[in-house]
Amino acid sequence: MILEGVIKDAYLESIKKVRKGDKEEEVEAIKNKILSAKRIIVATNNQKKFKIIKNIMLKFVKDAEIKMTDIDTSFADLTRMPAIFKALMAVDVENGDIYIARGRLGIPGSGAMLVILDNKGRILTASLSPPSSIHKEKIEKRIEKEIIEALNRVGIK
Amino acid sequence: MILEGVIKDAYLESIKKVRKGDKEEEVEAIKNKILSAKRIIVATNNQKKFKIIKNIMLKFVKDAEIKMTDIDTSFADLTRMPAIFKALMAVDVENGDIYIARGRLGIPGSGAMLVILDNKGRILTASLSPPSSIHKEKIEKRIEKEIIEALNRVGIK
């Protein structure tokens, strides 16, 4: 079923107050949306971060074209949800089937979020990391973990 | 330093393009904001979920008054970020120092998010769970893990 139908059914359940949490077919719809992406936009202008995400994505979505944004997304850091706003900026200025962004979760000090949006800017999945001053790992290693975890949690492994 | 000052300094760094990621003093400010809370609002009308969150919070914030919201927050499920909108609904209708909500991350099937906001609705920390059809754990166990993880990642353990 296409995403719109899946979402409408869930909304109707919520309205009728019979909603019982995520269903297998909903997770399946997200999984398919990601795995069938022909064009993936990574909302970063950092080559190193782009390559890490690209390499992991290519393991699952072999034929996809994977592109980085060519505008500065750091303005998103002055919003309340930098990672999500970074991804939305990419939705607004590029054409893709899914969009991947990595940035701050909330206020300064709140750590990182990697988020995957679809072509309408809807949140498909995400993952979080603690602030770098707490995890003390290399950022490349963290981003790799984040993209793998974001995919894993909707059954892509 | 109060949160406003911390945030302004970080914003200025972003504007000057010298920002290098979260700093220890920023994480410390978030930690203090949570640990000094006198009144904590849990955005749920489910007694069971409330008790799990309350019991964990009381280990860290011993003297806090912890209250659940008395309005139905399920309307948030028809928004694009149900967990965050649930928390914001609580910010709008209750007076607290911090607000804790647990709900869906994004579209149906995208799993859960537990989020902690401050009195202005700013995101302090959060944690995620996979969709229940994937993790197959009891929801109580998951929520316990989520609140502990959300605190841990800003150094509260």
Side-chain angles (χ1 to χ4, degrees), chain A residues 37-72:
Chain A
K38 295 269 166 285
R39 196 173 149 85
I40 299 171
I41 310 293
V42 184
T44 183
N45 45 12
N46 179 314
Q47 270 290 351
K48 230 156 118 185
K49 294 181 190 175
F50 171 66
K51 274 191 182 151
I52 298 163
I53 293 173
K54 182 178 174 180
N55 289 340
I56 303 286
M57 288 309 293
L58 281 176
K59 288 184 190 174
F60 300 105
V61 209
K62 296 202 187 340
D63 305 321
E65 177 195 357
I66 308 185
K67 199 184 164 298
M68 63 193 272
T69 45
D70 54 5
I71 65 161
D72 184 359

PDB file of all heavy atoms in Angstrom, chain A residues 37-72:
ATOM      1  N   ALA A  37      14.009   3.729  -3.176  1.00  0.00           N
ATOM      2  CA  ALA A  37      14.436   5.089  -3.549  1.00  0.00           C
ATOM      3  C   ALA A  37      15.384   5.045  -4.745  1.00  0.00           C
ATOM      4  O   ALA A  37      16.347   4.276  -4.755  1.00  0.00           O
ATOM      5  CB  ALA A  37      15.103   5.772  -2.359  1.00  0.00           C
ATOM      6  N   LYS A  38      15.089   5.855  -5.726  1.00  0.00           N
ATOM      7  CA  LYS A  38      15.951   5.928  -6.917  1.00  0.00           C
ATOM      8  C   LYS A  38      16.942   7.086  -6.780  1.00  0.00           C
ATOM      9  O   LYS A  38      17.995   7.097  -7.384  1.00  0.00           O
ATOM     10  CB  LYS A  38      15.090   6.176  -8.173  1.00  0.00           C
ATOM     11  CG  LYS A  38      14.147   5.036  -8.505  1.00  0.00           C
ATOM     12  CD  LYS A  38      14.807   4.049  -9.452  1.00  0.00           C
ATOM     13  CE  LYS A  38      14.024   2.748  -9.540  1.00  0.00           C
ATOM     14  NZ  LYS A  38      14.190   1.873  -8.345  1.00  0.00           N
ATOM     15  N   ARG A  39      16.536   8.069  -6.001  1.00  0.00           N
ATOM     16  CA  ARG A  39      17.367   9.263  -5.847  1.00  0.00           C
ATOM     17  C   ARG A  39      17.371   9.657  -4.369  1.00  0.00           C
ATOM     18  O   ARG A  39      16.324   9.956  -3.794  1.00  0.00           O
ATOM     19  CB  ARG A  39      16.778  10.378  -6.710  1.00  0.00           C
ATOM     20  CG  ARG A  39      17.708  11.536  -6.966  1.00  0.00           C
ATOM     21  CD  ARG A  39      17.046  12.483  -7.966  1.00  0.00           C
ATOM     22  NE  ARG A  39      17.477  13.845  -7.701  1.00  0.00           N
ATOM     23  CZ  ARG A  39      18.611  14.384  -8.181  1.00  0.00           C
ATOM     24  NH1 ARG A  39      19.386  13.695  -8.974  1.00  0.00           N
ATOM     25  NH2 ARG A  39      18.949  15.631  -7.879  1.00  0.00           N
ATOM     26  N   ILE A  40      18.541   9.631  -3.785  1.00  0.00           N
ATOM     27  CA  ILE A  40      18.683   9.905  -2.347  1.00  0.00           C
ATOM     28  C   ILE A  40      19.499  11.189  -2.171  1.00  0.00           C
ATOM     29  O   ILE A  40      20.585  11.318  -2.730  1.00  0.00           O
ATOM     30  CB  ILE A  40      19.381   8.729  -1.634  1.00  0.00           C
ATOM     31  CG1 ILE A  40      18.542   7.452  -1.790  1.00  0.00           C
ATOM     32  CG2 ILE A  40      19.633   9.055  -0.158  1.00  0.00           C
ATOM     33  CD1 ILE A  40      19.232   6.189  -1.307  1.00  0.00           C
ATOM     34  N   ILE A  41      18.952  12.120  -1.407  1.00  0.00           N
ATOM     35  CA  ILE A  41      19.663  13.385  -1.152  1.00  0.00           C
ATOM     36  C   ILE A  41      20.223  13.369   0.268  1.00  0.00           C
ATOM     37  O   ILE A  41      19.487  13.121   1.228  1.00  0.00           O
ATOM     38  CB  ILE A  41      18.710  14.595  -1.291  1.00  0.00           C
ATOM     39  CG1 ILE A  41      17.909  14.546  -2.601  1.00  0.00           C
ATOM     40  CG2 ILE A  41      19.479  15.911  -1.155  1.00  0.00           C
ATOM     41  CD1 ILE A  41      18.697  14.714  -3.865  1.00  0.00           C
ATOM     42  N   VAL A  42      21.509  13.631   0.385  1.00  0.00           N
ATOM     43  CA  VAL A  42      22.118  13.737   1.712  1.00  0.00           C
ATOM     44  C   VAL A  42      22.343  15.223   1.994  1.00  0.00           C
ATOM     45  O   VAL A  42      23.064  15.906   1.260  1.00  0.00           O
ATOM     46  CB  VAL A  42      23.442  12.946   1.793  1.00  0.00           C
ATOM     47  CG1 VAL A  42      24.000  12.989   3.213  1.00  0.00           C
ATOM     48  CG2 VAL A  42      23.239  11.502   1.348  1.00  0.00           C
ATOM     49  N   ALA A  43      21.677  15.702   3.042  1.00  0.00           N
ATOM     50  CA  ALA A  43      21.682  17.138   3.332  1.00  0.00           C
ATOM     51  C   ALA A  43      22.950  17.547   4.067  1.00  0.00           C
ATOM     52  O   ALA A  43      22.932  17.861   5.255  1.00  0.00           O
ATOM     53  CB  ALA A  43      20.445  17.508   4.150  1.00  0.00           C
ATOM     54  N   THR A  44      24.053  17.540   3.361  1.00  0.00           N
ATOM     55  CA  THR A  44      25.315  17.983   3.945  1.00  0.00           C
ATOM     56  C   THR A  44      26.177  18.527   2.819  1.00  0.00           C
ATOM     57  O   THR A  44      26.018  18.139   1.664  1.00  0.00           O
ATOM     58  CB  THR A  44      26.060  16.818   4.653  1.00  0.00           C
ATOM     59  OG1 THR A  44      27.247  17.328   5.257  1.00  0.00           O
ATOM     60  CG2 THR A  44      26.446  15.714   3.680  1.00  0.00           C
ATOM     61  N   ASN A  45      27.080  19.444   3.160  1.00  0.00           N
ATOM     62  CA  ASN A  45      28.073  19.819   2.157  1.00  0.00           C
ATOM     63  C   ASN A  45      29.465  19.409   2.616  1.00  0.00           C
ATOM     64  O   ASN A  45      30.464  19.946   2.178  1.00  0.00           O
ATOM     65  CB  ASN A  45      27.989  21.312   1.781  1.00  0.00           C
ATOM     66  CG  ASN A  45      27.849  22.190   2.999  1.00  0.00           C
ATOM     67  OD1 ASN A  45      28.025  21.744   4.125  1.00  0.00           O
ATOM     68  ND2 ASN A  45      27.554  23.453   2.771  1.00  0.00           N
ATOM     69  N   ASN A  46      29.489  18.399   3.499  1.00  0.00           N
ATOM     70  CA  ASN A  46      30.745  17.855   3.996  1.00  0.00           C
ATOM     71  C   ASN A  46      31.009  16.514   3.295  1.00  0.00           C
ATOM     72  O   ASN A  46      30.275  15.541   3.490  1.00  0.00           O
ATOM     73  CB  ASN A  46      30.612  17.676   5.520  1.00  0.00           C
ATOM     74  CG  ASN A  46      31.852  17.082   6.151  1.00  0.00           C
ATOM     75  OD1 ASN A  46      32.417  16.120   5.656  1.00  0.00           O
ATOM     76  ND2 ASN A  46      32.273  17.667   7.254  1.00  0.00           N
ATOM     77  N   GLN A  47      32.042  16.498   2.464  1.00  0.00           N
ATOM     78  CA  GLN A  47      32.365  15.310   1.653  1.00  0.00           C
ATOM     79  C   GLN A  47      32.547  14.046   2.501  1.00  0.00           C
ATOM     80  O   GLN A  47      32.061  12.980   2.146  1.00  0.00           O
ATOM     81  CB  GLN A  47      33.674  15.550   0.884  1.00  0.00           C
ATOM     82  CG  GLN A  47      33.495  16.184  -0.487  1.00  0.00           C
ATOM     83  CD  GLN A  47      32.854  15.234  -1.521  1.00  0.00           C
ATOM     84  OE1 GLN A  47      32.684  14.032  -1.281  1.00  0.00           O
ATOM     85  NE2 GLN A  47      32.464  15.784  -2.663  1.00  0.00           N
ATOM     86  N   LYS A  48      33.220  14.194   3.617  1.00  0.00           N
ATOM     87  CA  LYS A  48      33.541  13.031   4.453  1.00  0.00           C
ATOM     88  C   LYS A  48      32.261  12.397   5.002  1.00  0.00           C
ATOM     89  O   LYS A  48      32.055  11.193   4.898  1.00  0.00           O
ATOM     90  CB  LYS A  48      34.421  13.495   5.620  1.00  0.00           C
ATOM     91  CG  LYS A  48      35.672  12.652   5.806  1.00  0.00           C
ATOM     92  CD  LYS A  48      36.747  13.440   6.507  1.00  0.00           C
ATOM     93  CE  LYS A  48      37.145  12.840   7.838  1.00  0.00           C
ATOM     94  NZ  LYS A  48      38.108  13.708   8.559  1.00  0.00           N
ATOM     95  N   LYS A  49      31.384  13.243   5.567  1.00  0.00           N
ATOM     96  CA  LYS A  49      30.124  12.739   6.111  1.00  0.00           C
ATOM     97  C   LYS A  49      29.273  12.131   4.995  1.00  0.00           C
ATOM     98  O   LYS A  49      28.624  11.104   5.180  1.00  0.00           O
ATOM     99  CB  LYS A  49      29.343  13.873   6.798  1.00  0.00           C
ATOM    100  CG  LYS A  49      30.033  14.408   8.043  1.00  0.00           C
ATOM    101  CD  LYS A  49      29.202  15.498   8.700  1.00  0.00           C
ATOM    102  CE  LYS A  49      30.011  16.192   9.796  1.00  0.00           C
ATOM    103  NZ  LYS A  49      29.294  17.338  10.384  1.00  0.00           N
ATOM    104  N   PHE A  50      29.280  12.787   3.850  1.00  0.00           N
ATOM    105  CA  PHE A  50      28.502  12.311   2.704  1.00  0.00           C
ATOM    106  C   PHE A  50      28.925  10.903   2.312  1.00  0.00           C
ATOM    107  O   PHE A  50      28.095  10.016   2.110  1.00  0.00           O
ATOM    108  CB  PHE A  50      28.690  13.261   1.520  1.00  0.00           C
ATOM    109  CG  PHE A  50      28.099  12.757   0.236  1.00  0.00           C
ATOM    110  CD1 PHE A  50      26.724  12.607   0.093  1.00  0.00           C
ATOM    111  CD2 PHE A  50      28.918  12.403  -0.845  1.00  0.00           C
ATOM    112  CE1 PHE A  50      26.175  12.127  -1.098  1.00  0.00           C
ATOM    113  CE2 PHE A  50      28.375  11.926  -2.027  1.00  0.00           C
ATOM    114  CZ  PHE A  50      27.000  11.787  -2.157  1.00  0.00           C
ATOM    115  N   LYS A  51      30.238  10.688   2.233  1.00  0.00           N
ATOM    116  CA  LYS A  51      30.750   9.389   1.785  1.00  0.00           C
ATOM    117  C   LYS A  51      30.368   8.262   2.725  1.00  0.00           C
ATOM    118  O   LYS A  51      30.042   7.156   2.294  1.00  0.00           O
ATOM    119  CB  LYS A  51      32.273   9.457   1.619  1.00  0.00           C
ATOM    120  CG  LYS A  51      32.641   9.964   0.251  1.00  0.00           C
ATOM    121  CD  LYS A  51      34.123   9.789  -0.057  1.00  0.00           C
ATOM    122  CE  LYS A  51      34.415  10.372  -1.441  1.00  0.00           C
ATOM    123  NZ  LYS A  51      35.795  10.854  -1.535  1.00  0.00           N
ATOM    124  N   ILE A  52      30.415   8.530   4.022  1.00  0.00           N
ATOM    125  CA  ILE A  52      30.054   7.494   5.006  1.00  0.00           C
ATOM    126  C   ILE A  52      28.603   7.063   4.789  1.00  0.00           C
ATOM    127  O   ILE A  52      28.294   5.879   4.687  1.00  0.00           O
ATOM    128  CB  ILE A  52      30.208   8.035   6.452  1.00  0.00           C
ATOM    129  CG1 ILE A  52      31.666   8.406   6.715  1.00  0.00           C
ATOM    130  CG2 ILE A  52      29.726   7.003   7.467  1.00  0.00           C
ATOM    131  CD1 ILE A  52      31.853   9.295   7.921  1.00  0.00           C
ATOM    132  N   ILE A  53      27.731   8.067   4.676  1.00  0.00           N
ATOM    133  CA  ILE A  53      26.303   7.769   4.501  1.00  0.00           C
ATOM    134  C   ILE A  53      26.064   7.090   3.153  1.00  0.00           C
ATOM    135  O   ILE A  53      25.350   6.093   3.058  1.00  0.00           O
ATOM    136  CB  ILE A  53      25.471   9.068   4.645  1.00  0.00           C
ATOM    137  CG1 ILE A  53      25.563   9.561   6.105  1.00  0.00           C
ATOM    138  CG2 ILE A  53      24.020   8.846   4.233  1.00  0.00           C
ATOM    139  CD1 ILE A  53      24.929  10.908   6.371  1.00  0.00           C
ATOM    140  N   LYS A  54      26.712   7.595   2.111  1.00  0.00           N
ATOM    141  CA  LYS A  54      26.553   7.029   0.770  1.00  0.00           C
ATOM    142  C   LYS A  54      26.966   5.552   0.745  1.00  0.00           C
ATOM    143  O   LYS A  54      26.246   4.699   0.222  1.00  0.00           O
ATOM    144  CB  LYS A  54      27.406   7.831  -0.217  1.00  0.00           C
ATOM    145  CG  LYS A  54      27.276   7.358  -1.651  1.00  0.00           C
ATOM    146  CD  LYS A  54      28.107   8.208  -2.605  1.00  0.00           C
ATOM    147  CE  LYS A  54      28.053   7.599  -4.009  1.00  0.00           C
ATOM    148  NZ  LYS A  54      28.850   8.375  -4.973  1.00  0.00           N
ATOM    149  N   ASN A  55      28.113   5.250   1.322  1.00  0.00           N
ATOM    150  CA  ASN A  55      28.607   3.873   1.288  1.00  0.00           C
ATOM    151  C   ASN A  55      27.668   2.896   1.986  1.00  0.00           C
ATOM    152  O   ASN A  55      27.443   1.796   1.500  1.00  0.00           O
ATOM    153  CB  ASN A  55      30.011   3.788   1.894  1.00  0.00           C
ATOM    154  CG  ASN A  55      31.046   4.434   0.992  1.00  0.00           C
ATOM    155  OD1 ASN A  55      30.796   4.613  -0.209  1.00  0.00           O
ATOM    156  ND2 ASN A  55      32.181   4.804   1.551  1.00  0.00           N
ATOM    157  N   ILE A  56      27.115   3.313   3.114  1.00  0.00           N
ATOM    158  CA  ILE A  56      26.180   2.428   3.824  1.00  0.00           C
ATOM    159  C   ILE A  56      24.899   2.278   3.001  1.00  0.00           C
ATOM    160  O   ILE A  56      24.397   1.173   2.806  1.00  0.00           O
ATOM    161  CB  ILE A  56      25.822   2.989   5.230  1.00  0.00           C
ATOM    162  CG1 ILE A  56      27.079   3.199   6.078  1.00  0.00           C
ATOM    163  CG2 ILE A  56      24.804   2.091   5.933  1.00  0.00           C
ATOM    164  CD1 ILE A  56      27.728   1.965   6.626  1.00  0.00           C
ATOM    165  N   MET A  57      24.375   3.389   2.486  1.00  0.00           N
ATOM    166  CA  MET A  57      23.120   3.334   1.729  1.00  0.00           C
ATOM    167  C   MET A  57      23.251   2.438   0.499  1.00  0.00           C
ATOM    168  O   MET A  57      22.329   1.703   0.159  1.00  0.00           O
ATOM    169  CB  MET A  57      22.672   4.736   1.299  1.00  0.00           C
ATOM    170  CG  MET A  57      22.155   5.624   2.419  1.00  0.00           C
ATOM    171  SD  MET A  57      20.876   4.867   3.470  1.00  0.00           S
ATOM    172  CE  MET A  57      19.500   4.707   2.309  1.00  0.00           C
ATOM    173  N   LEU A  58      24.424   2.474  -0.137  1.00  0.00           N
ATOM    174  CA  LEU A  58      24.610   1.683  -1.362  1.00  0.00           C
ATOM    175  C   LEU A  58      24.573   0.181  -1.104  1.00  0.00           C
ATOM    176  O   LEU A  58      24.328  -0.613  -2.014  1.00  0.00           O
ATOM    177  CB  LEU A  58      25.913   2.078  -2.059  1.00  0.00           C
ATOM    178  CG  LEU A  58      25.842   3.373  -2.877  1.00  0.00           C
ATOM    179  CD1 LEU A  58      27.212   3.729  -3.445  1.00  0.00           C
ATOM    180  CD2 LEU A  58      24.816   3.269  -4.011  1.00  0.00           C
ATOM    181  N   LYS A  59      24.798  -0.209   0.141  1.00  0.00           N
ATOM    182  CA  LYS A  59      24.701  -1.638   0.475  1.00  0.00           C
ATOM    183  C   LYS A  59      23.255  -2.126   0.378  1.00  0.00           C
ATOM    184  O   LYS A  59      23.003  -3.297   0.133  1.00  0.00           O
ATOM    185  CB  LYS A  59      25.212  -1.889   1.896  1.00  0.00           C
ATOM    186  CG  LYS A  59      26.710  -1.755   2.007  1.00  0.00           C
ATOM    187  CD  LYS A  59      27.210  -2.112   3.393  1.00  0.00           C
ATOM    188  CE  LYS A  59      28.680  -1.703   3.482  1.00  0.00           C
ATOM    189  NZ  LYS A  59      29.248  -1.857   4.808  1.00  0.00           N
ATOM    190  N   PHE A  60      22.325  -1.205   0.626  1.00  0.00           N
ATOM    191  CA  PHE A  60      20.912  -1.598   0.667  1.00  0.00           C
ATOM    192  C   PHE A  60      20.150  -1.168  -0.589  1.00  0.00           C
ATOM    193  O   PHE A  60      19.208  -1.817  -1.007  1.00  0.00           O
ATOM    194  CB  PHE A  60      20.240  -0.983   1.902  1.00  0.00           C
ATOM    195  CG  PHE A  60      20.869  -1.428   3.188  1.00  0.00           C
ATOM    196  CD1 PHE A  60      21.703  -0.580   3.905  1.00  0.00           C
ATOM    197  CD2 PHE A  60      20.652  -2.707   3.677  1.00  0.00           C
ATOM    198  CE1 PHE A  60      22.297  -0.992   5.084  1.00  0.00           C
ATOM    199  CE2 PHE A  60      21.243  -3.126   4.857  1.00  0.00           C
ATOM    200  CZ  PHE A  60      22.068  -2.271   5.558  1.00  0.00           C
ATOM    201  N   VAL A  61      20.531  -0.045  -1.151  1.00  0.00           N
ATOM    202  CA  VAL A  61      19.811   0.515  -2.299  1.00  0.00           C
ATOM    203  C   VAL A  61      20.810   0.623  -3.449  1.00  0.00           C
ATOM    204  O   VAL A  61      21.270   1.711  -3.801  1.00  0.00           O
ATOM    205  CB  VAL A  61      19.218   1.902  -1.955  1.00  0.00           C
ATOM    206  CG1 VAL A  61      17.964   2.161  -2.777  1.00  0.00           C
ATOM    207  CG2 VAL A  61      18.888   2.029  -0.482  1.00  0.00           C
ATOM    208  N   LYS A  62      21.128  -0.514  -4.032  1.00  0.00           N
ATOM    209  CA  LYS A  62      22.270  -0.619  -4.956  1.00  0.00           C
ATOM    210  C   LYS A  62      22.232   0.335  -6.152  1.00  0.00           C
ATOM    211  O   LYS A  62      23.248   0.869  -6.554  1.00  0.00           O
ATOM    212  CB  LYS A  62      22.396  -2.061  -5.455  1.00  0.00           C
ATOM    213  CG  LYS A  62      22.722  -3.026  -4.303  1.00  0.00           C
ATOM    214  CD  LYS A  62      23.355  -4.300  -4.796  1.00  0.00           C
ATOM    215  CE  LYS A  62      23.536  -5.335  -3.696  1.00  0.00           C
ATOM    216  NZ  LYS A  62      23.531  -4.873  -2.297  1.00  0.00           N
ATOM    217  N   ASP A  63      21.051   0.529  -6.740  1.00  0.00           N
ATOM    218  CA  ASP A  63      21.011   1.309  -7.980  1.00  0.00           C
ATOM    219  C   ASP A  63      20.689   2.786  -7.765  1.00  0.00           C
ATOM    220  O   ASP A  63      20.522   3.527  -8.733  1.00  0.00           O
ATOM    221  CB  ASP A  63      19.940   0.728  -8.926  1.00  0.00           C
ATOM    222  CG  ASP A  63      20.179  -0.753  -9.167  1.00  0.00           C
ATOM    223  OD1 ASP A  63      21.352  -1.139  -9.288  1.00  0.00           O
ATOM    224  OD2 ASP A  63      19.185  -1.506  -9.196  1.00  0.00           O
ATOM    225  N   ALA A  64      20.590   3.200  -6.527  1.00  0.00           N
ATOM    226  CA  ALA A  64      20.171   4.577  -6.286  1.00  0.00           C
ATOM    227  C   ALA A  64      21.269   5.572  -6.665  1.00  0.00           C
ATOM    228  O   ALA A  64      22.459   5.290  -6.528  1.00  0.00           O
ATOM    229  CB  ALA A  64      19.799   4.757  -4.825  1.00  0.00           C
ATOM    230  N   GLU A  65      20.805   6.713  -7.123  1.00  0.00           N
ATOM    231  CA  GLU A  65      21.708   7.843  -7.304  1.00  0.00           C
ATOM    232  C   GLU A  65      21.749   8.571  -5.957  1.00  0.00           C
ATOM    233  O   GLU A  65      20.691   8.894  -5.411  1.00  0.00           O
ATOM    234  CB  GLU A  65      21.131   8.741  -8.397  1.00  0.00           C
ATOM    235  CG  GLU A  65      21.918  10.009  -8.670  1.00  0.00           C
ATOM    236  CD  GLU A  65      21.110  11.020  -9.494  1.00  0.00           C
ATOM    237  OE1 GLU A  65      19.967  10.684  -9.894  1.00  0.00           O
ATOM    238  OE2 GLU A  65      21.607  12.130  -9.699  1.00  0.00           O
ATOM    239  N   ILE A  66      22.924   8.798  -5.425  1.00  0.00           N
ATOM    240  CA  ILE A  66      23.018   9.446  -4.116  1.00  0.00           C
ATOM    241  C   ILE A  66      23.789  10.756  -4.266  1.00  0.00           C
ATOM    242  O   ILE A  66      24.908  10.777  -4.762  1.00  0.00           O
ATOM    243  CB  ILE A  66      23.692   8.526  -3.076  1.00  0.00           C
ATOM    244  CG1 ILE A  66      22.971   7.161  -3.066  1.00  0.00           C
ATOM    245  CG2 ILE A  66      23.657   9.162  -1.689  1.00  0.00           C
ATOM    246  CD1 ILE A  66      23.451   6.205  -2.015  1.00  0.00           C
ATOM    247  N   LYS A  67      23.150  11.819  -3.829  1.00  0.00           N
ATOM    248  CA  LYS A  67      23.649  13.160  -4.129  1.00  0.00           C
ATOM    249  C   LYS A  67      23.762  13.965  -2.838  1.00  0.00           C
ATOM    250  O   LYS A  67      22.947  13.803  -1.934  1.00  0.00           O
ATOM    251  CB  LYS A  67      22.590  13.808  -5.043  1.00  0.00           C
ATOM    252  CG  LYS A  67      23.059  14.989  -5.851  1.00  0.00           C
ATOM    253  CD  LYS A  67      21.904  15.593  -6.646  1.00  0.00           C
ATOM    254  CE  LYS A  67      22.253  16.978  -7.152  1.00  0.00           C
ATOM    255  NZ  LYS A  67      22.519  17.979  -6.122  1.00  0.00           N
ATOM    256  N   MET A  68      24.738  14.846  -2.750  1.00  0.00           N
ATOM    257  CA  MET A  68      24.767  15.743  -1.601  1.00  0.00           C
ATOM    258  C   MET A  68      24.216  17.112  -2.001  1.00  0.00           C
ATOM    259  O   MET A  68      24.220  17.471  -3.170  1.00  0.00           O
ATOM    260  CB  MET A  68      26.164  15.843  -0.972  1.00  0.00           C
ATOM    261  CG  MET A  68      27.254  16.400  -1.817  1.00  0.00           C
ATOM    262  SD  MET A  68      28.909  16.091  -1.067  1.00  0.00           S
ATOM    263  CE  MET A  68      29.066  17.535  -0.025  1.00  0.00           C
ATOM    264  N   THR A  69      23.709  17.843  -1.013  1.00  0.00           N
ATOM    265  CA  THR A  69      23.196  19.177  -1.319  1.00  0.00           C
ATOM    266  C   THR A  69      24.375  20.116  -1.544  1.00  0.00           C
ATOM    267  O   THR A  69      25.436  19.932  -0.953  1.00  0.00           O
ATOM    268  CB  THR A  69      22.353  19.741  -0.151  1.00  0.00           C
ATOM    269  OG1 THR A  69      23.052  19.498   1.057  1.00  0.00           O
ATOM    270  CG2 THR A  69      21.003  19.095  -0.088  1.00  0.00           C
ATOM    271  N   ASP A  70      24.179  21.121  -2.375  1.00  0.00           N
ATOM    272  CA  ASP A  70      25.289  22.043  -2.598  1.00  0.00           C
ATOM    273  C   ASP A  70      25.039  23.410  -1.961  1.00  0.00           C
ATOM    274  O   ASP A  70      25.656  24.394  -2.333  1.00  0.00           O
ATOM    275  CB  ASP A  70      25.636  22.152  -4.089  1.00  0.00           C
ATOM    276  CG  ASP A  70      24.428  22.520  -4.921  1.00  0.00           C
ATOM    277  OD1 ASP A  70      23.364  22.782  -4.322  1.00  0.00           O
ATOM    278  OD2 ASP A  70      24.543  22.553  -6.157  1.00  0.00           O
ATOM    279  N   ILE A  71      24.114  23.460  -1.001  1.00  0.00           N
ATOM    280  CA  ILE A  71      23.995  24.732  -0.281  1.00  0.00           C
ATOM    281  C   ILE A  71      24.361  24.524   1.188  1.00  0.00           C
ATOM    282  O   ILE A  71      24.288  23.412   1.708  1.00  0.00           O
ATOM    283  CB  ILE A  71      22.592  25.386  -0.390  1.00  0.00           C
ATOM    284  CG1 ILE A  71      21.525  24.520   0.286  1.00  0.00           C
ATOM    285  CG2 ILE A  71      22.219  25.694  -1.824  1.00  0.00           C
ATOM    286  CD1 ILE A  71      20.273  25.312   0.615  1.00  0.00           C
ATOM    287  N   ASP A  72      24.751  25.585   1.815  1.00  0.00           N
ATOM    288  CA  ASP A  72      25.159  25.565   3.220  1.00  0.00           C
ATOM    289  C   ASP A  72      23.938  25.344   4.105  1.00  0.00           C
ATOM    290  O   ASP A  72      23.033  26.171   4.132  1.00  0.00           O
ATOM    291  CB  ASP A  72      25.815  26.919   3.534  1.00  0.00           C
ATOM    292  CG  ASP A  72      26.372  26.966   4.942  1.00  0.00           C
ATOM    293  OD1 ASP A  72      26.243  25.975   5.678  1.00  0.00           O
ATOM    294  OD2 ASP A  72      26.943  28.013   5.298  1.00  0.00           O
TER     295      ASP A  72
END
